[in-house]
């Protein structure tokens, strides 16, 4: 990291470099099951999807790639997911400083240090926690799958899906994702536990393990837990209630399967990207719910994407506050500064613009008529929020469409704010001293 | 207005009362061309659409209603449109005071008075301006249509469409709206001039007439003119570029017709609600552009709806400001206060939630599968933003769907913020003194 490069610029370059290497390796014949290269564009798409822990795929991971190719994808996921988790936490610290917040940063409570050795320690902590979670899951899933496919295969599948789940990547070795295990409590619980933990983020996990008591949690952790919990509950209730009317999905399932898959589908849309029922068969009302859940996504400092639960919480809070007459904005007996609300505003507006522009571009490049608009909106949101769910459009994309989705996955992973900071000029002197004037709003 | 009632509560009750009276009259057999009542639900829908200057229709205005019924609709539009324009300006003054803005209000530069006689004077000004615009348009349109249909019919059509256009109501006596005049410069220019003027709002019109010079305009007027101009230009370019590819619309038109209809369709989506080509035949990319334009809508203090151009401008400004490192937000050498940005935030978040909830409800009540999702999203946005454009779903709505759209038109017309102020308890004491804490965003 040279002194001329800002931390977000550094993150952006590291990810670009990872994607480039991944593309080159995945385009090699040795990565392909058939022994013939899958081509540069599909390799680029897959590498970007893996590094950005997105999960959208243009070729079937389980059948098109060789074991070597699959292991490369798994490594890209692990490096991308952990890299982003680590970098995300560090960048958040830097950005926090840059926008002038002077309070003690949450993360310093963990590392007890501000020096660069503190950052190394932080990275090691994060890697340790990720491996701890994945090791537990690998053990459970290997035991579960051993009977079906023998020890070696079971271990391989357990490792691949554990890495994919904790990093919210959503890559699966089965072409129908986890649909075969729609009613399997062990697989459901293990995978959900992994991606929810990864999605909560490092800070929250550490506080949950160390502090345990609600009152001692930081504001960030409280907001993450409350908003994640509410979104999980609301998502489950809506998907369950809506799909119960749908003969193409729940009509074919028992009640226990309905509860599992209602929970799984609403949880997975918040960045994980696995699915246990076919998304394209769901009602359009449920698909709209999933789009909104994907857009909100997981939590800051985690492996998931989207605008983040904290952003959503802060926006709703600010909205209610204005409705009640304004004044100081507070949650859990802590004041939330105007700077934080402005950042949330910037994130949601730029994300909405991005999703709409991508949807617009895809509508044109893919020659979409109104009948397929939902698929485009779903795809654009999924690509941007790194959710990786698809109604089926990805596999039919034109070369130009693949390229647009690739860029979208990258922008969505870095987050519009990180990207803008990375690209921005140094802060201009703010022109103080203008008189205030009134504007009519709404 | 009793002392116990807040201004927004008063506005809400007046509008409810107007809708009720309108419903009763339109349900009478005398209002119907066939001499048989159109039924209470359709009467309620039509009255709400007229009072809220929306323009969505469940029955064809020109053929189903008698001349009496059509005149009633016209009066409802005029009273609703002017009432809202007037009340909108007054409420904006009140809310401006309430949120603690102390600078001289723009409107007082016009009325030169803060007393209640000043408000009466303001209302008379607004009515005068509306009639002046409409009189000019009636004269032009009567002359244009006299040759086609004789003086009496031409005058009747000119009055009805002038009132409908200035108030951004979008009601037309032809079932295909203004499609017969797709290439007619007189009709195009007159109608566009009317609804754009009405959409700019009273304050801007007055400043344009009295001050003339850019430098002497208020911040509000500058923002309205810049954002309205940009949206018109961007909308035209996008619709024109996209539809040129479309054999179902522009493929059948000459180049001059394409330019007129490109301009008309992008302008009309910003609340007017007339159309000169069939919206359902447009490309889904263009439909998405129209959805976004409808959502943004016209300007505060005018006859149009949506979140308003000023809201959109302020949000974009705040977003860019955060990207550039934060600090004071300013436009045209004037500071924009945090309270104004918070109001813009509250308006956009609650409006987005409202449109999504309505789309979700309609998807369920109308049993919509993904093929028709675009129609639902278009309809929900159109109902909420009082745009009144339709891809055809309105005429096929179930009774429950009609009821949902009716409520949406009402909420959308009052604006989420006015409604929330009307329903809210008195301002709670803000709990000062909480310590500030950090949250990771995005
Ligand atoms: K994912
Ligand atoms: K309208």
């Amino acid at each position: 990291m040279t002194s001329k490069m800002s931390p977000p610029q550094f993150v952006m370059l590291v990810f670009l470099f990872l994607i480039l290497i991944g593309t080159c390796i995945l385009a090699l014949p040795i990565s392909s099951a058939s022994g013939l290269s899958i081509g540069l564009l599909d390799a680029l798409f897959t590498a970007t999807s893996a590094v950005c822990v997105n999960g959208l795929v243009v070729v079937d991971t389980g059948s098109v790639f060789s074991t070597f190719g699959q292991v490369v994808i798994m490594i890209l996921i692990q490096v991308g997911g952990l890299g982003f988790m680590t970098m995300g936490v560090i960048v958040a610290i830097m950005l926090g400083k840059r926008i002038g917040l002077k309070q003690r940063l949450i993360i310093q409570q963990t590392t007890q240090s501000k020096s660069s050795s503190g950052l190394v320690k932080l990275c090691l902590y994060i890697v340790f926690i990720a491996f701890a979670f994945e090791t537990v899951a690998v053990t459970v899933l290997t035991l579960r799958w051993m009977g079906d496919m023998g020890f070696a295969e079971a271990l391989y599948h357990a490792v691949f899906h554990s890495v994919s789940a904790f990093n919210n990547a959503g890559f699966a070795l089965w072409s129908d994702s986890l649909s075969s295990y729609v009613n399997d409590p062990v697989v459901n619980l293990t995978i959900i536990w992994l991606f929810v933990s990864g999605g909560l983020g490092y800070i929250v996990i550490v506080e949950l393990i160390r502090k345990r008591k609600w009152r001692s949690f930081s504001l960030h952790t409280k907001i993450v837990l409350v908003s994640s919990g509410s979104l999980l509950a609301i998502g489950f209730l809506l998907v369950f209630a809506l799909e119960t009317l749908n003969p193409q999905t729940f009509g074919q399932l028992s009640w226990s399967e309905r509860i599992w898959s209602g929970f799984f589908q609403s949880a997975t849309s918040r960045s994980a990207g696995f699915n246990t029922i076919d998304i394209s068969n769901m009602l359009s009302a449920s698909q709209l719910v999933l789009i909104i859940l994907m857009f909100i996504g997981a939590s800051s400092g985690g492996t998931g994407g989207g605008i983040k639960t904290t952003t959503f919480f802060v926006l709703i809070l600010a909205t209610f506050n204005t409705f009640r007459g304004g004044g100081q904005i507070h949650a859990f007996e802590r004041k939330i500064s105007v700077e934080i609300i402005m950042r949330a505003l910037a994130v949601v507006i730029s994300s909405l613009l991005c999703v709409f522009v991508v949807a617009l571009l895809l509508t044109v490049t893919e020659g979409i008529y109104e009948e397929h608009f939902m698929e485009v909106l779903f795809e654009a949101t999924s690509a941007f929020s790194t959710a990786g769910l698809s109604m089926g459009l990805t596999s039919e994309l034109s070369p130009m469409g693949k390229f647009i989705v690739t860029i979208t996955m990258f922008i969505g992973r870095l987050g519009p704010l990180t990207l803008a900071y990375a690209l921005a000029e140094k802060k201009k002197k703010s022109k103080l001293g203008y008189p205030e004037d009134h504007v009519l709003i709404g």
Side-chain angles (χ1 to χ4, degrees), chain A:
Chain A
M1 204 187 311
T2 72
S3 61
K4 281 184 185 173
M5 208 182 280
S6 72
Q9 284 172 324
F10 178 70
V11 174
M12 203 173 85
L13 285 180
V14 168
F15 273 83
L16 275 178
F17 185 68
L18 270 178
I19 290 171
L20 216 71
I21 294 182
T23 306
C24 295
I25 301 179
L26 289 180
L28 295 175
I30 191 181
S31 297
S32 159
S34 67
L36 294 168
S37 166
I38 61 165
L40 267 179
L41 185 59
D42 286 357
L44 172 68
F45 191 100
T46 309
T48 310
S49 184
V51 170
C52 298
V53 292
N54 190 302
L56 286 176
V57 286
V58 279
V59 294
D60 181 44
T61 316
S63 60
V64 171
F65 289 102
S66 62
T67 307
F68 173 78
Q70 291 166 2
V71 171
V72 169
I73 290 174
M74 190 174 74
I75 293 171
L76 291 176
I77 292 171
Q78 185 71 285
V79 173
L82 284 187
F84 195 80
M85 203 172 188
T86 316
M87 291 300 173
V89 174
I90 295 172
V91 167
I93 295 173
M94 304 285 181
L95 290 180
K97 275 182 192 157
R98 181 157 175 186
I99 59 169
L101 295 163
K102 281 164 191 166
Q103 64 277 28
R104 277 203 315 151
L105 286 151
I106 312 154
I107 205 65
Q108 287 164 10
Q109 297 170 0
T110 316
T111 59
Q112 307 290 355
S113 166
K114 295 179 191 180
S115 64
S116 59
S117 74
L119 289 185
V120 173
K121 213 170 155 191
L122 170 67
C123 294
L124 290 177
Y125 268 123
I126 291 178
V127 172
F128 170 76
I129 285 188
F131 282 124
F133 272 82
E134 287 168 6
T135 307
V136 173
V138 166
T139 313
V140 174
L141 290 177
T142 307
L143 290 172
R144 166 64 189 82
W145 285 332
M146 248 167 67
D148 299 356
M149 51 183 97
F151 178 75
E153 271 296 288
L155 180 65
Y156 179 64
H157 280 75
V159 171
F160 188 93
H161 292 95
S162 295
V163 168
S164 183
F166 182 77
N167 291 296
N168 275 278
F171 276 84
L173 294 176
W174 295 282
S175 61
D176 61 353
S177 193
L178 299 174
S179 299
S180 324
Y181 303 98
V182 58
N183 197 28
D184 188 313
V186 177
V187 175
N188 268 284
L189 283 179
T190 312
I191 296 287
I192 291 177
W193 172 72
L194 276 176
F195 66 64
V196 167
S197 304
L200 288 175
Y202 170 70
I203 295 164
V204 177
I205 294 175
V206 168
E207 287 201 25
L208 279 175
I209 294 173
R210 296 207 177 175
K211 297 189 173 171
R212 284 181 200 143
K213 282 182 193 160
W214 179 260
R215 282 182 57 196
S216 59
F217 289 157
S218 69
L219 177 62
H220 176 78
T221 296
K222 284 179 183 168
I223 291 181
V224 165
L225 290 177
V226 166
S227 46
S228 299
S230 316
L231 287 169
L232 272 179
I234 294 171
F236 166 69
L237 288 176
L238 284 174
V239 170
F240 185 79
L242 289 167
E243 289 304 308
T244 298
L245 310 166
N246 187 354
Q248 284 192 282
T249 57
F250 280 22
Q252 301 167 357
L253 301 178
S254 71
W255 279 103
S256 79
E257 286 174 323
R258 291 177 188 195
I259 290 174
W260 278 120
S261 67
F263 188 65
F264 194 94
Q265 258 56 238
S266 73
T268 192
S269 61
R270 303 209 17 261
S271 264
F274 293 109
N275 55 287
T276 60
I277 55 177
D278 189 343
I279 308 284
S280 62
N281 285 337
M282 292 174 84
L283 293 177
S284 54
S286 312
Q287 290 163 346
L288 181 60
V289 170
L290 294 192
I291 286 176
I292 295 169
L293 289 175
M294 288 196 297
F295 185 75
I296 298 171
S299 303
S300 300
T303 54
I307 62 166
K308 305 290 160 28
T309 53
T310 42
T311 309
F312 180 69
F313 183 93
V314 165
L315 289 171
I316 297 290
L317 198 70
T319 301
F320 274 107
N321 189 65
T322 303
F323 280 164
R324 283 186 306 196
Q328 199 187 74
I329 296 173
H330 47 85
F332 306 113
E333 306 192 334
R334 287 288 181 281
K335 182 186 160 192
I336 294 175
S337 73
V338 169
E339 281 77 17
I340 286 184
I341 295 159
M342 290 297 164
R343 284 195 67 196
L345 174 65
V347 168
V348 76
I349 296 293
S350 52
S351 301
L352 279 172
L353 284 179
C354 188
V355 168
F356 277 124
V357 168
V358 171
L360 200 62
L361 290 175
L362 285 179
T363 316
V364 176
T365 62
E366 308 308 300
I368 296 293
Y369 281 84
E370 65 183 74
E371 292 77 13
H372 298 287
F373 177 69
M374 178 64 116
E375 290 172 49
V376 171
L377 188 63
F378 198 95
E379 202 80 9
T381 313
S382 182
F384 180 79
S385 65
T386 80
L389 293 173
S390 177
M391 285 172 60
L393 185 65
T394 323
S395 48
E396 296 163 11
L397 285 175
S398 69
M400 184 54 98
K402 286 179 187 175
F403 191 68
I404 293 171
V405 172
T406 303
I407 305 239
T408 311
M409 293 192 290
F410 186 68
I411 294 176
R413 171 73 288 195
L414 290 179
L417 207 60
T418 309
L419 194 71
Y421 272 105
L423 299 175
E425 303 282 308
K426 291 219 173 118
K427 185 175 172 176
K428 291 175 188 166
K429 276 182 229 165
S430 77
K431 291 171 191 160
L432 293 164
Y434 286 132
E436 195 168 309
D437 202 349
H438 190 49
V439 193
L440 303 187
I441 294 291

